[in-house]
């Protein structure tokens, strides 16, 4: 991340702030996060108003003073008085494309923007001439980051996406004009207008939808992955009849404490396979001018989650050391907060392997997934099918029905040789088809 957008300020000039108070909402390329202040103080001046776009990391956005200090001298304090504005880089460095899967090692602060902290001893500079102020503020104000995306509840966004309802065409009836579930249900598409008069210019038959920051980041990462990582694919069919029976038995005895999904078992199975074939749990790196393959000692599985604004991959860390109940609880929690846009950067940065499951869509028998760099592998999971298989019985050859899933592993050939990818798939198949091994 090199820049962010300023959302809604939760405090105004003159307000007292305690540690943990939410000061302002910051929109990054992956989520909208609350910026929490960590010291006692008073907000003396807001330097970047709500709606400001592409504020470079390191720029001051507000002035903080000690509690009890006088706010009045800062009424005319400007961004130039705080040292001026630093423009975001026009082109992100190569490492920036890795942001959503690997955190920065620079040791810099993690907040999207910084506060220019002053004390009561600070003396604001004299007020600039009126003409200069007018010239500097003549540009139009941008929309707030909340307005860039329609003000709608996560449930309303999901329903609108499912029903094809344009959120921009709906006037919300919730608090502050928020679009609610009821607004989506009551929406009626406008009736088609009368045919245009002869010779009139036809209206465009399309709509240009501006790409969000998150969509641009996803696009850049996918292009980078396909261009820089030589993908190859290995598929297999998994028999999950035993796994489904084990899942049913565990859920029946859970007394409502948990409800395991097939995906929970597959996440654990991926970790087992990664421990047995550690070359897959690796990444291609440039360290100190030297190219290395970093082999990770723990398996942190990124789980692909579809959200109303794009795909996110929150991470379940240390899966190799977790039980199924803990894995299930973490996936549910991370998935919900991903769809609500409430993930912290450390919850989607990192990861050593990814799983993408489209099994909930009965039409998807199989698919291939794009590697999430700098990881070296990702598993694509299709839907469960019942397949007839021959079975010998007392009355001769008959038919048994087997529950099967087709999975496809995508591997980076720079890191994982073809034979190694095949070995990983074999270990995965072995543990899935003998699911009691997951309990060990």
């Amino acid at each position: 991340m090199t820049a962010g957008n300023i959302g809604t300020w939760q405090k105004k000039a003159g307000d007292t702030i305690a540690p943990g108070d939410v000061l302002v909402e910051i929109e990054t390329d992956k989520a909208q996060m609350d910026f929490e202040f960590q010291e006692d103080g008073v907000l003396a001046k807001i330097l970047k108003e709500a709606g400001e776009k592409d504020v470079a990391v390191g720029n001051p956005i507000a002035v903080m003073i000690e509690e009890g200090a006088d706010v009045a001298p800062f009424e005319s304090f400007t961004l130039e008085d705080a040292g001026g504005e630093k423009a975001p880089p026009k082109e992100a460095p190569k490492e920036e494309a890795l942001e959503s899967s690997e955190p920065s090692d620079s040791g810099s602060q993690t907040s999207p923007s910084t506060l220019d902290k002053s004390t009561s001893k600070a003396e604001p500079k004299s007020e600039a001439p009126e003409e200069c102020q007018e010239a500097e503020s003549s540009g139009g104000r941008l929309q707030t980051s909340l307005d860039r995306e329609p003000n709608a509840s996560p449930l309303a966004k999901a329903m609108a996406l499912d029903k094809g309802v344009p959120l921009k065409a709906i006037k919300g009836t919730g608090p502050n004009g928020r679009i609610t579930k009821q607004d989506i249900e009551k929406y009626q598409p406008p009736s088609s207008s009368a045919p245009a008069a002869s010779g009139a210019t036809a209206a465009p038959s399309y709509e240009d939808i501006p790409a969000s920051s998150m969509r641009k980041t996803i696009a850049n990462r996918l292009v980078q992955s396909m261009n820089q990582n030589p993908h190859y694919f290995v598929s297999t069919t998994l028999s999950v009849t035993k796994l489904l029976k084990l899942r049913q038995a565990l859920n029946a005895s859970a007394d409502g404490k948990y409800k395991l999904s097939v995906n929970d078992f597959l996440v654990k199975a991926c970790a087992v396979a990664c421990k047995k074939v550690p070359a897959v749990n690796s990444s291609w790196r440039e360290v100190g001018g030297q190219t290395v393959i970093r082999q990770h000692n723990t398996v942190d599985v990124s789980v692909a989650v579809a959200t109303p604004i794009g795909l996110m991959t929150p991470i379940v860390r240390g899966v190799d050391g977790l039980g199924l109940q803990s894995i299930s609880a973490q996936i549910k929690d991370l998935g919900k907060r991903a769809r609500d846009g409430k993930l912290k950067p450390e919850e989607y940065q990192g990861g050593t392997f990814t799983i993408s499951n489209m099994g909930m869509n009965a039409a998807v028998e199989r698919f291939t997934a794009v590697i999430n760099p700098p990881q070296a592998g990702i598993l694509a999971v299709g839907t469960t099918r019942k397949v007839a298989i021959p079975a010998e019985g007392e009355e001769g050859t008959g038919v048994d029905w087997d529950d099967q899933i087709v999975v496809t592993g995508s591997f980076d050939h720079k890191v994982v040789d073809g034979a190694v990818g095949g070995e990983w798939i074999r270990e995965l198949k072995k543990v899935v088809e003998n699911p009691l091994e997951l309990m060990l």
Side-chain angles (χ1 to χ4, degrees):
M1 173 182 171
T2 59
N5 302 332
I6 305 297
T8 303
W9 283 93
Q10 303 297 329
K11 300 289 184 179
K12 62 181 183 296
D15 285 354
T16 300
I17 301 175
D21 283 355
V22 176
L23 184 62
V24 63
E25 294 173 349
I26 300 293
E27 182 188 75
T28 71
D29 53 7
K30 277 290 184 181
Q32 185 157 312
M33 300 179 296
D34 294 332
F35 177 73
E36 297 181 358
F37 201 62
Q38 300 302 318
E39 299 180 26
D40 291 309
V42 175
L43 179 58
K45 178 73 173 182
I46 293 175
L47 301 177
K48 287 289 185 179
E49 296 291 343
E52 294 280 357
K53 291 184 179 180
D54 297 327
V55 179
V57 172
N59 272 342
I61 62 174
V63 178
M64 301 296 302
I65 59 176
E66 291 181 349
E67 191 171 357
D70 188 11
V71 175
F74 292 91
E75 290 181 358
S76 60
F77 197 83
T78 66
L79 184 62
E80 286 69 27
D81 297 330
E85 183 171 4
K86 179 178 67 175
K90 294 182 179 179
E91 293 185 4
K94 178 179 177 182
E95 290 77 5
E96 179 65 18
L98 307 181
E99 180 179 350
S100 69
S101 72
E102 185 64 20
S104 169
D105 295 329
S106 64
S108 63
Q109 63 191 55
T110 59
S111 60
S113 304
T114 58
L115 295 174
D116 181 44
K117 185 171 182 184
S118 305
T119 66
S120 57
K121 298 180 180 179
E123 291 294 334
K125 295 186 178 180
S126 61
E127 184 175 355
E130 184 177 356
E131 294 81 3
C132 295
Q133 289 184 355
E134 291 179 353
E136 292 171 359
S137 62
S138 60
R141 176 165 295 178
L142 300 171
Q143 290 179 304
T144 66
S145 59
L146 291 179
D147 289 336
R148 291 178 68 244
E149 294 286 344
N151 183 14
S153 67
L155 178 58
K157 288 182 179 180
M159 290 181 63
L161 185 65
D162 182 57
K163 296 183 177 182
V165 175
L167 288 174
K168 292 182 180 179
I170 299 178
K171 184 177 181 180
T173 59
N176 298 320
R178 189 175 179 86
I179 299 172
T180 64
K181 170 186 174 184
Q182 290 74 22
D183 296 326
I184 301 297
E185 293 173 340
K186 295 177 182 178
Y187 173 76
Q188 295 292 335
S191 58
S192 57
S193 58
S198 176
T201 304
S205 59
Y206 58 84
E207 178 187 1
D208 289 332
I209 301 174
S212 65
S213 298
M214 181 175 176
R215 176 54 55 189
K216 292 176 184 177
T217 298
I218 292 173
N220 290 335
R221 286 178 51 75
L222 293 178
V223 170
Q224 176 218 357
S225 180
M226 294 302 294
N227 288 342
Q228 298 182 10
N229 301 326
H231 286 56
Y232 72 92
F233 310 97
V234 183
S235 298
T236 191
T237 299
L238 305 176
S239 171
V240 293
T241 300
K242 294 180 181 178
L243 186 150
L244 293 179
K245 291 180 179 178
L246 176 60
R247 170 178 173 260
Q248 183 180 19
L250 291 174
N251 286 340
S253 62
D255 294 330
K257 295 179 182 178
Y258 57 84
K259 185 177 182 181
L260 303 177
S261 69
V262 173
N263 198 55
D264 300 332
F265 285 86
L266 294 178
V267 168
K268 179 64 175 180
C270 286
V272 172
C274 283
K275 293 298 288 185
K276 292 186 176 180
V277 187
V280 174
N281 196 46
S282 304
S283 55
W284 185 270
R285 304 274 180 160
E286 298 289 338
V287 179
Q290 181 182 7
T291 301
V292 300
I293 295 177
R294 179 174 296 175
Q295 193 170 110
H296 304 278
N297 296 325
T298 60
V299 185
D300 301 331
V301 179
S302 303
V303 181
V305 177
T307 75
I309 57 174
L311 187 71
M312 297 197 70
T313 52
I315 303 163
V316 182
R317 300 190 182 275
V319 177
D320 49 310
L322 297 178
L324 291 168
Q325 181 179 353
S326 178
I327 292 171
S328 179
Q330 290 193 43
I331 291 177
K332 288 181 175 64
D333 173 62
L334 291 168
K336 181 180 184 303
R337 289 192 288 115
R339 286 184 286 270
D340 292 343
K342 297 297 183 182
L343 286 180
K344 299 177 181 177
E346 60 268 22
E347 292 176 317
Y348 57 79
Q349 292 179 350
T352 62
F353 188 84
T354 297
I355 181 170
S356 180
N357 192 338
M358 294 182 67
M360 70 294 298
N361 187 336
V364 180
E365 181 178 316
R366 69 183 71 198
F367 70 103
T368 57
V370 179
I371 295 170
N372 186 18
Q375 299 173 11
I378 181 171
L379 185 72
V381 183
T383 193
T384 304
R385 303 173 302 132
K386 283 192 174 294
V387 179
I389 57 174
E392 295 292 337
E394 296 180 357
E395 299 180 357
T397 302
V399 172
D400 283 342
W401 292 95
D402 187 34
D403 293 291
Q404 297 182 356
I405 296 176
V406 177
V407 297
T408 302
S410 306
F411 301 100
D412 181 358
H413 219 315
K414 301 195 310 293
V415 180
V416 183
D417 289 334
V420 177
E423 178 67 19
W424 187 90
I425 287 289
R426 182 169 65 180
E427 291 296 337
L428 177 75
K429 182 178 178 68
K430 177 182 175 183
V431 70
V432 169
E433 295 185 350
N434 297 278
L436 288 176
E437 292 188 14
L438 297 172
M439 313 296 292
L440 300 178

